[in-house]
Amino acid sequence: MFLPPILIKKLGCKWTIAISMCCYIAFSLGNFYASWYTLIPTSVILGLGGAPLWSAKCTYLTIAGTSYAEKAGKNAKDIINQYFGVFFLVFQSSGVWGNLISSLIFSQSSTKVEISEEDLACCGAYNCLADTTNTTDSAKPSHSLIYTLLGVYTASGVLAVLLIIIFLDQIKSDQAETEKEKLEIPSFWSTFLATFQHLKDKRQCLLIPLTMYSGFEQGFLSGDYTKAYVTCALGIQYVGYVMICFAAVNSLCSLLFGKISQFTGRKLLFALATVTNTACIIALLLWKPHPKQLAVFFVFPALWGLSDAVWQTQTNGLYGILFEKHKEAAFANCRLWESLGFVIAFGYSTKLQVYIKLYILLSVLVLSMVTYGAVECLEAKSSPGTPTATKKENGGPLTQETHM
């Protein structure tokens, strides 16, 4: 809630990104000796770095997109969507490389697990929780393979930080420059409270379910689908390959949707993601996974990746467009509510059966689309035929208070 706006104002986007990425390296190092005393503190450090990193990234892309659109004489909304599309192409491709690395390293293990028909009967939406929890433990990789994997991940993190420090240009918005002219103490407190104050905007409150759903659906795929369907029916060795499928489709669709959003509009893309996710949820409720249906295990993450590409590119782009004058606070809210969705999804992960989680996911999705529709109605009424950001830039009467 508080850290992203403060760091971005004081350090700028570049150094906020660089310092925050070091927190991810700390978490990788904590896994070398995985215990309560190493993972809990490094998880806290990771959380402290994650919020400023993502907020600074979104702010950077929005400012860069807006600046380029002004110079090129193009629509800022379209350029911002394209920038987010390219970013998420690269970002989601990390799932391909990361899972490929882990799959190749863990494939060196000689441990193989035979799954009986009785165990297969417990897989899927109506899984037997007690019978499926031991599957991953029986196939635990050796310490040497784990250390090799963590070494590769840590080295990748260090290289990434160096690339940011050396090659990324510092970038600042007009708003940040204006803030520097103000007194230090008022600037600090106004920044500190900016995220809370942003909740006064009715549009932000209506976007909370949509933003939280992004955390719910990602949490389900990585935490529940991989366990109750893939690991349960195929074994842990297939998890990496299934997630590669998800990441590959997600990456390509992120780039595609960022490009075509200027022609289709975001409403059509949100509708596509809603229909796709709803179909997947219903199918997962009915499907009984079996190793003979190997291709089906990859169809679901592929479709999920298509939907997630929409949720990521269009939701982030939507925040940048609606709250162009309050980017830092808006993206801090975005990360807050998405993270809360993750927290809730992982929190009930071991307490509820999969079919209940799927019903919860479907309910949140429906609520998200209702509230998102309300946001679009508010925008249509307040700016008929003219984007909100454009009206503000032209000195029109529209202000943030209009939406309170």
Side-chain angles (χ1 to χ4, degrees), residues 4 22 29 40 56 79 88 140 148 154 233-234 250 265 268 286 350 364:
C22 293
L29 294 173
I40 298 303
I79 299 299
F88 279 105
K140 187 175 181 180
T148 301
T154 304
L234 298 178
N250 202 327
L268 184 61
L286 302 175
T350 58
V364 177

Side-chain angles (χ1 to χ4, degrees), residues 31-266:
N31 277 269
F32 275 96
Y33 182 74
S35 69
W36 177 271
Y37 301 103
T38 58
L39 290 183
I40 298 303
T42 52
S43 294
V44 172
I45 293 172
L46 176 63
L48 288 173
L53 174 64
W54 281 87
S55 296
K57 178 273 300 180
C58 292
T59 302
Y60 193 102
L61 289 177
T62 301
I63 294 172
T66 303
S67 176
Y68 175 75
E70 291 176 355
K71 294 177 180 178
K74 297 182 179 180
N75 191 322
K77 177 179 68 174
D78 297 335
I79 299 299
I80 291 171
N81 281 331
Q82 288 182 29
Y83 276 30
F84 275 108
V86 173
F87 170 81
F88 279 105
L89 166 70
V90 179
F91 168 70
Q92 296 295 354
S93 73
S94 68
V96 176
W97 315 123
N99 283 296
L100 182 60
I101 291 169
S102 65
S103 297
L104 291 174
I105 291 175
F106 287 152
S107 66
Q108 300 176 41
S109 174
S110 58
T111 307
K112 299 293 180 182
V113 178
E114 293 295 331
I115 304 173
S116 65
E117 289 295 327
E118 290 78 11
D119 288 336
L120 286 173
C122 286
C123 301
Y126 300 90
N127 66 322
C128 318
L129 290 175
D131 295 333
T132 58
T133 52
N134 295 326
T135 310
T136 55
D137 292 336
S138 60
K140 187 175 181 180
S142 66
H143 285 294
S144 62
L145 292 179
I146 293 175
Y147 291 149
T148 301
L149 179 66
L150 291 173
V152 173
Y153 286 165
T154 304
S156 301
V158 173
L159 177 61
V161 172
L162 292 175
L163 289 174
I164 290 293
I165 293 174
I166 296 171
F167 294 109
L168 187 67
D169 294 330
Q170 180 67 284
I171 189 170
K172 294 180 181 178
S173 64
D174 295 336
Q175 182 185 7
E177 293 294 333
T178 304
E179 288 290 331
K180 280 191 170 184
E181 299 173 1
K182 298 181 181 178
L183 293 175
E184 192 68 21
I185 294 179
S187 175
F188 172 85
W189 284 109
S190 64
T191 303
F192 188 78
L193 298 174
T195 311
F196 271 135
Q197 293 170 344
H198 193 67
L199 289 170
K200 294 179 181 179
D201 193 319
K202 185 186 296 184
R203 298 169 300 169
Q204 173 61 72
C205 294
L206 289 170
L207 285 176
I208 288 175
L210 175 62
T211 313
M212 287 183 67
Y213 177 75
S214 177
F216 273 99
E217 54 95 8
Q218 292 179 76
F220 175 83
L221 185 76
S222 60
D224 295 307
Y225 178 76
T226 55
K227 176 184 177 182
Y229 291 86
V230 181
T231 302
C232 182
L234 298 178
I236 194 174
Q237 67 271 20
Y238 277 92
V239 170
Y241 296 113
V242 166
M243 293 306 291
I244 286 173
C245 180
F246 165 78
V249 174
N250 202 327
S251 299
L252 295 174
C253 288
S254 293
L255 180 64
L256 174 64
F257 294 151
K259 290 283 188 182
I260 69 171
S261 61
Q262 58 183 310
F263 305 110
T264 63
R266 59 177 178 255

Side-chain angles (χ1 to χ4, degrees), residues 331-401:
F331 286 123
N333 267 279
C334 181
R335 297 312 302 170
L336 167 73
W337 298 112
E338 184 179 26
S339 298
L340 183 59
F342 272 111
V343 169
I344 296 173
F346 286 127
Y348 63 54
S349 179
T350 58
K351 307 297 181 184
L352 302 176
Q353 286 200 324
V354 177
Y355 77 93
I356 298 177
K357 301 172 192 174
L358 286 168
Y359 283 126
I360 292 174
L361 202 61
L362 185 60
S363 301
V364 177
L365 175 57
V366 172
L367 176 62
S368 300
M369 288 301 98
V370 171
T371 55
Y372 163 71
V375 171
E376 291 290 3
C377 289
L378 284 174
E379 283 301 289
K381 290 179 181 178
S382 62
S383 53
T386 307
T388 303
T390 305
K391 271 189 111 174
K392 289 181 181 178
E393 290 168 4
N394 293 338
L398 184 62
T399 63
Q400 189 178 11
E401 287 73 25

